[in-house]
Amino acid sequence: MTADAVDVCVVGSGASGSTVAHEIARNGFRVLVLEEGRRLPPGASLATVQSSMDDALVRSPPGGLMPFGRPWTVSALGGGMTLYAGIAFRYRTVDFDARAHVAADALDPVWPIDYAELRPYYEELERRMGVARLAGADPLEPPSDPAVLPPHQYSPQGRLIANAGGRIGRLPFPTPLAINSVPYGGRPACHCCGPCNEHLCLTGARADARSPFIDVPLPPGALTVALGSKAVRIDLGNVSRADSVEWLDTDSRQRARVRARCVVLAGNAIQSAALLLRSAQPAAPNGIGNGAGMVGSGISFKISGYVSGSTALDRLPVQPLGGPFSTVAISDHYLDEEAPSGLGGLIYEASPTERAVHEGKITLRLHFLAADQPMRNNAVRLANTRDRLGLPNIILEYWTHPVDKRRLGYLSRRASDLLLEAGVKKVDYQDSNYQFGSGHLHGGCRAGIDPKESVVDRWGRVHDIDNLYVADGGFFPYSGGVNPTFTIQANALRIARRIVTQLA
Ligand SMILES: Cc1cc2nc3c(=O)[nH]c(=O)nc-3n(C[C@H](O)[C@H](O)[C@H](O)COP(=O)(O)OP(=O)(O)OC[C@H]3O[C@@H](n4cnc5c(N)ncnc54)[C@H](O)[C@@H]3O)c2cc1C
């Protein structure tokens, strides 16, 4: 086993890992990124890559454990942003402090930072990668600098949804997208050529995890990315310092070790918690950072579902039917007194891959999603059984809180109202199966002030470990009600800046 040394070892190359690694490397430190996945081949889609990612165990209704869980967004160079839909909301004020809306038995949802602290990082990333949006159109949008890119036009489906929303008193607005509406940042404008969500972008119009850093020069040799390299254990040098990361070559099954002055976990909310739990050792018998039993706890996937149905077109579309997965959204039911707990969520166009016009009719599809209650017993745990690499399997314990079931029903009805108004005669409901793990992974290494109720501090640093950080969605003490990636990137940039000051 070799033992190279670097300044920083980053585990994971997705939204958070890529941000942290580039920011630290450009400041002249030597960074090694361990990424267990590989570069996706041309034409890859979620359907083609899913079988290569290990399942997690989840509870089946009689109580047994079944391998139906999804503990990944995408395991690949670039993580989930390789196949994501590009939806790029900023978190709203209420997402940082939802105390007025959570159940009495929920964990404390308050973030140790607020929107004002995160705002400069959103602005910087937005300038670097481009977000197409209509400033001021979303009634709940937090204050921001002017948009750098104009919004995308509504798709033919989006236009029908927006018109219907307007007729029933909603305030539809263009979905903010990290997809170029005009050429920007060396990337072309989207020409609506493909199926978008769950697929590689054919043109590069959609941002990926590297896009914000594409023009940022790195000192020679500062950044190394090791693909097919799974971090399996962190070793502590003493009770308060991480010393090295052990990793496994997923092809040869050879193990190696890298020593690092600082270790940053960016493997996604589930995988980072699992790595801390798998790193049990005499100085941390229940896993690193787990003295209070909080590692893995408070995992949240967001509650969500879809409604769809077909409607007659009032005129034949002049625009192509491919292109962004979502062009219109409404946030009227986000802070909604009629929603159980007063907090609903977001509803947006989620057009299906198959978008052809059949006999003058087109399918409209809406996704509705909302924050779930952060619950102590919704947790990542380790099983006694082993996965194909010989590591303890991940168990996802997750139950939907009764309040959230009612909130989901409320949002489903509001989304159906929109479809009915758009002329859909029969609305079909489609489960998202979020309870088995979704693309939106948060919690598990919750940030907070109290080390008994959280795993990391406001900088993402594991309490009592001087040089170990969590930069992915695991940080989120409350999942928030909009798509999380832009916030994961902004928070990762904030954490990276802190690490740079600590290393200097
Ligand atoms: C189909 C799809 C569409 C989506 N659309 C949107 C959207 O429109 N908007 C939005 O905001 N979000 C979207 N998401 C969610 C988005 O992908 C995630 O929020 C985001 O990628 C999370 O970033 P992350 O850095 O936490 O983790 P990831 O991007 O998941 O990256 C983690 C990386 O770490 C690697 N890794 C994990 N453990 C280890 C280990 N032990 N050793 C080495 N490597 C490891 C993984 O292989 C992976 O590549 C979508 C997700 C999916 C799947």
Side-chain angles (χ1 to χ4, degrees), residues 7 11 45 49 51 70 81 104 119 132 137 139 169 243 264 273 354 358 414 484 501:
D7 291 310
V11 177
S45 68
V49 300
S51 64
R70 296 187 306 263
M81 285 183 81
R119 178 176 169 182
D243 173 74
V264 184
E354 166 55 53
H358 288 299
R414 297 295 74 81
T501 63

Side-chain angles (χ1 to χ4, degrees), residues 1-193:
M1 192 184 292
T2 56
D4 287 338
V6 293
D7 291 310
V8 181
C9 176
V10 179
V11 177
S13 68
S16 54
S18 199
T19 304
V20 168
H22 281 87
E23 182 59 23
I24 296 178
R26 86 186 178 105
N27 279 281
F29 298 101
R30 217 178 131 211
V31 178
L32 171 68
V33 177
L34 297 175
E35 169 52 61
E36 93 168 78
R38 304 210 171 252
R39 191 183 296 276
L40 291 182
S45 68
L46 195 60
T48 64
V49 300
Q50 226 150 19
S51 64
S52 63
M53 302 187 273
D54 271 314
D55 297 326
L57 303 174
V58 291
R59 297 267 165 216
S60 66
L65 290 168
M66 306 291 288
F68 297 148
R70 296 187 306 263
W72 305 102
T73 61
V74 177
S75 178
L77 176 63
M81 285 183 81
T82 51
L83 304 180
Y84 90 144
I87 298 171
F89 281 96
R90 299 178 185 212
Y91 271 31
R92 282 94 224 284
T93 312
V94 65
D95 296 323
F96 295 94
D97 183 356
R99 273 175 296 185
H101 304 284
V102 299
D105 51 347
L107 289 163
D108 180 4
V110 181
W111 284 52
I113 58 168
D114 58 11
Y115 175 73
E117 184 163 347
L118 218 44
R119 178 176 169 182
Y121 304 97
Y122 281 123
E123 306 293 7
E124 183 173 339
L125 286 165
E126 180 164 336
R127 277 195 305 277
R128 288 202 204 168
M129 73 176 175
V131 175
R133 63 184 172 96
L134 183 59
D138 168 2
L140 281 189
E141 183 184 74
S144 69
D145 290 353
V148 294
L149 296 179
H152 287 265
Q153 280 185 19
Y154 290 148
S155 65
Q157 299 88 333
R159 183 174 51 76
L160 290 169
I161 294 162
N163 290 346
R167 288 196 298 272
I168 58 171
R170 309 289 175 260
L171 296 168
F173 58 88
T175 310
L177 294 173
I179 301 175
N180 281 354
S181 51
V182 294
Y184 190 78
R187 308 190 333 266
C190 173
H191 24 101
C192 304
C193 55

